[in-house]
Amino acid sequence: MIEWVGFDGDDTLWHSEGYYQEAQAEFEQIVSRYVDLAKLGLHDRLLAVERRNIKLFGYGAKGMTLSLLEAAIEVTGSRISAADLHRIIGIGKRVLAHPVQLLPGIRAAVEAVAATHRVVLITKGDLFHQEQKVAACGLADLFHRIEIVSEKDERSYRRLFDEFGVDAERFAMVGNSLRSDIAPVVQLGGWGVYMPYHVTWAHEADTDFAAASAHVAQVQDASGIPAALAELDLRTAA
């Protein structure tokens, strides 16, 4: 049976991507003073810059801000003003300061799972920002361990399983990203509870992994997590 359950942070425990979407909309308003957004394909241009920079800056608001600045200079041919570059920095600061709002029902779900399993929070992104969100969420004392990682891939999960002293077959991950939360765990032999969020960053949506896997249970909201884990326990027995 499943012994350990991991929970993702952003858009699984608390809202996150919406703030980044608002930041991008404000960024587009600034850049639209210099270029025709419809002809430029700004969304794709920005995504390309962000993907290029992930290995340098990592995930999170700080990396996003640096990518916004780079993209603004690039697409405007360096014509963007210092004042507008300063406005873009302000966008990043507001994302870093956004309130931590839990998803509906997630506290009850984590409490229910923690009553029968060892639970761990596994989140990725900027260390300081993630620590701030963990401290503000009010759920930290429910978790046996809290892990902030730079990337969620098979290598990272394998290292964590070794540290936890658990086989992948005894571990399930709850998250909103098939690419980062579910696919690597399942590919190692573990299990996943997929809880889609209403909006997903294009980079996280870029995956061929299918949620229809027998090792994955999908839920509509947090209230379905305990039952989904019970269903996965039955599948482990089968």
Side-chain angles (χ1 to χ4, degrees), residues 30-91:
I30 294 172
V31 174
S32 68
R33 301 174 184 177
Y34 300 88
V35 295
D36 184 335
L37 297 185
K39 294 181 179 179
L40 182 64
L42 182 59
H43 183 271
D44 290 339
R45 293 282 292 273
L46 175 58
L47 181 61
V49 172
E50 289 179 313
R51 282 176 167 161
R52 189 169 71 221
N53 286 337
I54 283 175
K55 290 185 178 180
L56 292 173
F57 304 146
Y59 295 93
K62 294 176 185 175
M64 176 205 70
T65 304
L66 291 170
S67 291
L68 291 179
L69 291 169
E70 181 179 342
I73 294 169
E74 180 180 299
V75 301
T76 64
S78 301
R79 291 181 295 112
I80 189 167
S81 70
D84 281 334
L85 290 176
H86 192 263
R87 289 181 62 195
I88 293 172
I89 293 173
I91 292 173

Coordinates of all heavy atoms in Angstrom, one line a residue, residues 30-91:
I30 N 2.6 47.2 -21.3 CA 3.8 48.1 -21.4 C 4.5 48.0 -22.8 O 4.8 49.0 -23.4 CB 4.8 47.7 -20.3 CG1 4.2 48.1 -18.9 CG2 6.1 48.5 -20.5 CD1 5.1 47.6 -17.7
V31 N 4.7 46.8 -23.2 CA 5.4 46.5 -24.5 C 4.6 47.0 -25.7 O 5.1 47.4 -26.7 CB 5.8 45.0 -24.6 CG1 6.4 44.7 -26.0 CG2 6.8 44.7 -23.5
S32 N 3.2 47.0 -25.5 CA 2.4 47.3 -26.7 C 2.6 48.8 -27.1 O 2.1 49.2 -28.2 CB 0.9 47.1 -26.3 OG 0.5 48.0 -25.3
R33 N 3.2 49.6 -26.2 CA 3.5 51.0 -26.6 C 4.6 51.1 -27.6 O 4.8 52.1 -28.3 CB 3.9 51.8 -25.3 CG 2.9 51.8 -24.2 CD 3.4 52.5 -23.0 NE 2.5 52.4 -21.9 CZ 2.8 52.9 -20.7 NH1 4.0 53.4 -20.4 NH2 1.9 52.8 -19.7
Y34 N 5.3 50.0 -27.8 CA 6.5 50.0 -28.7 C 6.3 49.1 -29.9 O 6.9 49.4 -31.0 CB 7.7 49.5 -28.0 CG 8.1 50.4 -26.8 CD1 7.5 50.1 -25.5 CD2 9.0 51.4 -26.9 CE1 7.9 50.9 -24.4 CE2 9.3 52.2 -25.8 CZ 8.7 51.9 -24.5 OH 9.1 52.7 -23.4
V35 N 5.5 48.1 -29.8 CA 5.4 47.1 -30.9 C 3.9 46.7 -31.1 O 3.1 46.9 -30.2 CB 6.2 45.9 -30.7 CG1 7.7 46.2 -30.7 CG2 5.8 45.2 -29.4
D36 N 3.6 46.1 -32.2 CA 2.3 45.5 -32.5 C 2.3 44.1 -32.0 O 2.9 43.2 -32.5 CB 2.0 45.6 -34.0 CG 0.6 45.1 -34.4 OD1 0.0 44.3 -33.6 OD2 0.1 45.5 -35.4
L37 N 1.5 43.9 -30.9 CA 1.5 42.6 -30.2 C 1.0 41.5 -31.1 O 1.5 40.3 -31.1 CB 0.7 42.6 -28.9 CG 1.2 43.6 -27.8 CD1 0.4 43.4 -26.6 CD2 2.7 43.3 -27.5
A38 N 0.0 41.8 -31.9 CA -0.6 40.8 -32.8 C 0.4 40.3 -33.8 O 0.4 39.1 -34.1 CB -1.8 41.4 -33.5
K39 N 1.2 41.1 -34.4 CA 2.2 40.7 -35.3 C 3.5 40.1 -34.7 O 4.1 39.2 -35.2 CB 2.7 41.9 -36.2 CG 1.6 42.5 -37.1 CD 2.1 43.7 -37.9 CE 1.1 44.2 -38.8 NZ 1.6 45.4 -39.6
L40 N 3.7 40.5 -33.4 CA 5.0 40.1 -32.8 C 4.9 38.7 -32.2 O 5.9 37.9 -32.2 CB 5.3 41.0 -31.6 CG 6.5 40.8 -30.8 CD1 7.8 41.0 -31.7 CD2 6.6 41.7 -29.6
G41 N 3.7 38.2 -31.8 CA 3.6 36.9 -31.2 C 4.3 36.9 -29.8 O 5.2 36.1 -29.5
L42 N 4.0 38.0 -29.0 CA 4.8 38.2 -27.8 C 4.7 37.0 -26.8 O 5.7 36.7 -26.2 CB 4.3 39.5 -27.1 CG 5.0 39.9 -25.8 CD1 6.5 40.1 -26.1 CD2 4.4 41.1 -25.2
H43 N 3.6 36.4 -26.7 CA 3.4 35.3 -25.8 C 4.5 34.2 -26.1 O 5.2 33.7 -25.2 CB 2.0 34.7 -25.8 CG 1.8 33.6 -24.8 ND1 2.1 32.2 -25.1 CD2 1.4 33.6 -23.6 CE1 1.8 31.5 -24.1 NE2 1.4 32.3 -23.1
D44 N 4.6 33.8 -27.3 CA 5.5 32.8 -27.7 C 7.0 33.2 -27.6 O 7.9 32.5 -27.2 CB 5.3 32.3 -29.2 CG 4.0 31.5 -29.3 OD1 3.5 31.0 -28.3 OD2 3.5 31.5 -30.4
R45 N 7.2 34.5 -27.9 CA 8.6 35.1 -27.7 C 9.0 35.0 -26.2 O 10.1 34.7 -25.9 CB 8.6 36.5 -28.3 CG 8.4 36.6 -29.8 CD 9.7 36.3 -30.5 NE 10.7 37.3 -30.3 CZ 10.9 38.4 -31.1 NH1 10.0 38.7 -32.0 NH2 11.9 39.2 -30.8
L46 N 8.1 35.4 -25.4 CA 8.4 35.4 -23.9 C 8.6 34.0 -23.4 O 9.6 33.8 -22.6 CB 7.3 36.1 -23.1 CG 7.4 36.1 -21.6 CD1 8.7 36.8 -21.2 CD2 6.2 36.8 -21.0
L47 N 7.8 33.1 -23.8 CA 7.9 31.7 -23.4 C 9.3 31.2 -23.8 O 10.0 30.4 -23.1 CB 6.8 30.8 -24.0 CG 6.8 29.4 -23.6 CD1 6.7 29.2 -22.1 CD2 5.7 28.6 -24.3
A48 N 9.7 31.5 -25.0 CA 11.0 31.1 -25.5 C 12.2 31.6 -24.6 O 13.1 30.9 -24.3 CB 11.2 31.5 -27.0
V49 N 12.1 32.9 -24.2 CA 13.1 33.5 -23.4 C 13.1 32.8 -22.0 O 14.1 32.5 -21.5 CB 12.8 35.0 -23.2 CG1 13.8 35.6 -22.2 CG2 13.0 35.7 -24.6
E50 N 11.9 32.5 -21.5 CA 11.8 31.9 -20.1 C 12.4 30.5 -20.2 O 13.1 30.1 -19.3 CB 10.3 31.9 -19.7 CG 9.7 33.2 -19.3 CD 8.3 33.1 -18.9 OE1 7.5 32.5 -19.6 OE2 7.9 33.7 -17.9
R51 N 12.1 29.7 -21.2 CA 12.6 28.4 -21.3 C 14.1 28.4 -21.4 O 14.8 27.6 -20.9 CB 12.0 27.7 -22.5 CG 10.6 27.2 -22.2 CD 10.0 26.5 -23.5 NE 8.8 25.8 -23.2 CZ 7.9 25.5 -24.0 NH1 8.0 25.8 -25.3 NH2 6.8 24.8 -23.7
R52 N 14.6 29.4 -22.2 CA 16.1 29.5 -22.4 C 16.8 29.9 -21.1 O 17.9 29.5 -20.8 CB 16.3 30.7 -23.4 CG 17.7 30.8 -23.9 CD 17.8 31.7 -25.1 NE 17.5 33.1 -24.7 CZ 16.7 34.0 -25.4 NH1 16.2 33.5 -26.5 NH2 16.6 35.2 -25.0
N53 N 16.1 30.5 -20.2 CA 16.7 31.0 -18.9 C 16.5 30.2 -17.7 O 17.1 30.4 -16.7 CB 16.1 32.4 -18.6 CG 16.7 33.5 -19.5 OD1 17.8 33.3 -20.1 ND2 16.0 34.6 -19.7
I54 N 15.7 29.1 -17.8 CA 15.3 28.3 -16.7 C 16.6 27.7 -16.0 O 16.8 27.7 -14.8 CB 14.3 27.2 -17.0 CG1 12.9 27.8 -17.1 CG2 14.3 26.1 -15.9 CD1 11.9 26.8 -17.6
K55 N 17.5 27.2 -16.9 CA 18.7 26.6 -16.3 C 19.6 27.6 -15.6 O 20.5 27.3 -14.8 CB 19.5 25.9 -17.4 CG 18.8 24.6 -17.9 CD 19.6 23.9 -18.9 CE 18.9 22.6 -19.4 NZ 19.7 21.8 -20.4
L56 N 19.5 28.9 -16.0 CA 20.3 30.0 -15.4 C 19.6 30.6 -14.1 O 20.2 30.8 -13.1 CB 20.6 31.1 -16.4 CG 21.5 30.7 -17.6 CD1 21.5 31.9 -18.6 CD2 22.9 30.4 -17.1
F57 N 18.3 30.9 -14.3 CA 17.6 31.6 -13.2 C 16.7 30.7 -12.4 O 16.3 31.2 -11.3 CB 16.8 32.7 -13.9 CG 17.5 33.7 -14.7 CD1 16.9 34.3 -15.8 CD2 18.8 34.1 -14.4 CE1 17.6 35.2 -16.6 CE2 19.5 35.0 -15.2 CZ 18.9 35.5 -16.3
G58 N 16.4 29.5 -12.9 CA 15.4 28.7 -12.2 C 14.0 29.2 -12.4 O 13.7 30.0 -13.2
Y59 N 13.1 28.6 -11.6 CA 11.7 28.9 -11.7 C 11.3 30.0 -10.7 O 12.1 30.2 -9.7 CB 10.9 27.6 -11.3 CG 11.0 26.5 -12.4 CD1 11.9 25.5 -12.2 CD2 10.2 26.5 -13.5 CE1 12.1 24.5 -13.1 CE2 10.4 25.5 -14.4 CZ 11.3 24.5 -14.2 OH 11.4 23.5 -15.1
G60 N 10.2 30.6 -10.9 CA 9.7 31.6 -9.9 C 9.7 33.0 -10.4 O 10.1 33.3 -11.5
A61 N 9.3 33.9 -9.5 CA 9.0 35.3 -9.8 C 10.3 36.0 -10.2 O 10.3 36.9 -11.1 CB 8.3 36.0 -8.7
K62 N 11.4 35.7 -9.6 CA 12.7 36.4 -9.9 C 13.2 36.1 -11.3 O 13.6 36.9 -12.0 CB 13.7 36.1 -8.8 CG 13.4 36.6 -7.4 CD 14.4 36.2 -6.4 CE 14.0 36.7 -5.0 NZ 14.9 36.2 -4.0
G63 N 13.1 34.8 -11.6 CA 13.5 34.4 -12.9 C 12.6 34.9 -14.0 O 13.0 35.3 -15.1
M64 N 11.3 35.0 -13.7 CA 10.3 35.5 -14.6 C 10.6 37.0 -14.8 O 10.6 37.5 -16.0 CB 8.9 35.4 -14.0 CG 7.8 36.1 -14.8 SD 6.3 36.6 -13.9 CE 7.0 38.0 -12.9
T65 N 10.9 37.8 -13.8 CA 11.2 39.2 -13.9 C 12.4 39.4 -14.8 O 12.4 40.3 -15.7 CB 11.4 39.8 -12.5 OG1 10.3 39.6 -11.7 CG2 11.6 41.3 -12.7
L66 N 13.5 38.7 -14.6 CA 14.7 38.8 -15.5 C 14.3 38.5 -16.9 O 14.8 39.1 -17.9 CB 15.8 37.9 -15.0 CG 16.4 38.3 -13.6 CD1 17.3 37.3 -13.1 CD2 17.2 39.7 -13.8
S67 N 13.5 37.5 -17.1 CA 13.1 37.1 -18.5 C 12.2 38.2 -19.1 O 12.3 38.5 -20.3 CB 12.4 35.8 -18.5 OG 13.3 34.7 -18.2
L68 N 11.3 38.8 -18.3 CA 10.5 39.9 -18.8 C 11.4 41.1 -19.3 O 11.1 41.6 -20.3 CB 9.5 40.4 -17.7 CG 8.4 39.4 -17.3 CD1 7.5 40.1 -16.2 CD2 7.5 39.1 -18.5
L69 N 12.4 41.4 -18.5 CA 13.3 42.5 -18.8 C 14.0 42.2 -20.1 O 14.1 43.0 -21.0 CB 14.3 42.7 -17.7 CG 13.7 43.3 -16.4 CD1 14.7 43.3 -15.3 CD2 13.2 44.8 -16.6
E70 N 14.5 40.9 -20.2 CA 15.3 40.6 -21.4 C 14.4 40.6 -22.6 O 14.8 41.1 -23.7 CB 15.9 39.2 -21.2 CG 16.7 38.7 -22.4 CD 17.3 37.3 -22.2 OE1 17.4 36.9 -21.1 OE2 17.7 36.7 -23.2
A71 N 13.2 40.0 -22.5 CA 12.2 40.0 -23.6 C 11.8 41.4 -24.1 O 11.7 41.7 -25.3 CB 11.0 39.2 -23.3
A72 N 11.6 42.3 -23.1 CA 11.2 43.6 -23.4 C 12.3 44.4 -24.2 O 12.0 45.1 -25.2 CB 10.9 44.4 -22.1
I73 N 13.5 44.2 -23.8 CA 14.7 44.8 -24.5 C 14.8 44.2 -25.9 O 15.0 44.9 -26.9 CB 16.0 44.7 -23.7 CG1 15.9 45.4 -22.4 CG2 17.2 45.1 -24.6 CD1 17.0 45.1 -21.5
E74 N 14.6 42.9 -26.0 CA 14.8 42.2 -27.3 C 13.7 42.6 -28.3 O 14.1 42.9 -29.4 CB 14.8 40.7 -27.0 CG 14.9 39.8 -28.2 CD 14.9 38.3 -27.8 OE1 15.7 37.9 -27.0 OE2 14.0 37.6 -28.3
V75 N 12.5 42.5 -27.9 CA 11.4 42.7 -28.9 C 11.2 44.2 -29.3 O 10.6 44.5 -30.3 CB 10.0 42.1 -28.3 CG1 10.2 40.7 -28.0 CG2 9.5 42.9 -27.1
T76 N 11.7 45.1 -28.4 CA 11.6 46.5 -28.8 C 12.8 47.0 -29.4 O 12.9 48.2 -29.7 CB 11.3 47.4 -27.5 OG1 12.4 47.3 -26.6 CG2 10.0 46.9 -26.8
G77 N 13.8 46.2 -29.7 CA 15.0 46.6 -30.3 C 15.8 47.6 -29.4 O 16.4 48.6 -29.9
S78 N 15.7 47.4 -28.1 CA 16.3 48.2 -27.1 C 15.7 49.6 -27.0 O 16.3 50.5 -26.4 CB 17.8 48.3 -27.3 OG 18.4 47.0 -27.3
R79 N 14.5 49.8 -27.6 CA 13.9 51.1 -27.5 C 13.1 51.4 -26.2 O 12.7 52.5 -26.0 CB 13.0 51.3 -28.7 CG 13.7 51.4 -30.1 CD 12.8 51.6 -31.2 NE 11.9 50.5 -31.4 CZ 10.6 50.5 -31.2 NH1 10.0 51.5 -30.7 NH2 9.9 49.4 -31.4
I80 N 12.9 50.4 -25.5 CA 12.1 50.5 -24.3 C 12.8 51.5 -23.3 O 14.0 51.4 -23.1 CB 11.8 49.2 -23.6 CG1 10.7 49.3 -22.5 CG2 13.0 48.5 -23.1 CD1 10.1 48.0 -22.0
S81 N 12.0 52.3 -22.6 CA 12.6 53.3 -21.7 C 13.0 52.7 -20.4 O 12.5 51.7 -20.0 CB 11.6 54.5 -21.5 OG 10.6 54.0 -20.7
A82 N 13.9 53.4 -19.7 CA 14.3 53.0 -18.4 C 13.1 53.0 -17.4 O 13.0 52.2 -16.5 CB 15.4 53.9 -17.8
A83 N 12.2 54.0 -17.6 CA 11.1 54.1 -16.7 C 10.2 52.8 -16.9 O 9.6 52.3 -15.9 CB 10.3 55.3 -17.1
D84 N 10.0 52.4 -18.1 CA 9.2 51.2 -18.4 C 9.9 49.9 -17.9 O 9.3 49.0 -17.4 CB 8.8 51.1 -19.8 CG 7.7 52.0 -20.2 OD1 6.9 52.3 -19.3 OD2 7.5 52.4 -21.4
L85 N 11.2 49.9 -18.0 CA 11.9 48.7 -17.4 C 11.8 48.7 -15.9 O 11.6 47.6 -15.3 CB 13.4 48.8 -17.7 CG 13.8 48.6 -19.2 CD1 15.3 48.8 -19.4 CD2 13.4 47.2 -19.7
H86 N 11.7 49.9 -15.3 CA 11.5 49.9 -13.8 C 10.1 49.5 -13.5 O 9.9 48.8 -12.5 CB 11.7 51.4 -13.4 CG 11.8 51.5 -11.9 ND1 10.7 51.9 -11.1 CD2 12.8 51.3 -11.0 CE1 11.0 51.9 -9.8 NE2 12.3 51.5 -9.7
R87 N 9.1 49.8 -14.4 CA 7.7 49.3 -14.2 C 7.7 47.8 -14.2 O 7.0 47.1 -13.4 CB 6.8 49.9 -15.2 CG 6.5 51.3 -15.1 CD 5.6 51.8 -16.2 NE 4.3 51.1 -16.1 CZ 3.4 51.1 -17.0 NH1 3.6 51.7 -18.2 NH2 2.2 50.4 -16.9
I88 N 8.5 47.2 -15.1 CA 8.5 45.7 -15.2 C 9.1 45.1 -13.9 O 8.7 44.1 -13.4 CB 9.3 45.3 -16.4 CG1 8.6 45.7 -17.7 CG2 9.6 43.8 -16.4 CD1 9.3 45.5 -19.0
I89 N 10.1 45.8 -13.4 CA 10.7 45.3 -12.1 C 9.6 45.3 -11.0 O 9.5 44.4 -10.2 CB 11.9 46.1 -11.7 CG1 13.1 45.9 -12.6 CG2 12.3 45.8 -10.2 CD1 14.2 46.8 -12.4
G90 N 8.8 46.4 -11.0 CA 7.7 46.5 -10.1 C 6.7 45.3 -10.2 O 6.1 44.9 -9.2
I91 N 6.5 44.9 -11.5 CA 5.6 43.7 -11.7 C 6.1 42.5 -10.9 O 5.4 41.8 -10.2 CB 5.5 43.4 -13.2 CG1 4.7 44.6 -13.9 CG2 4.7 42.1 -13.4 CD1 4.7 44.4 -15.4

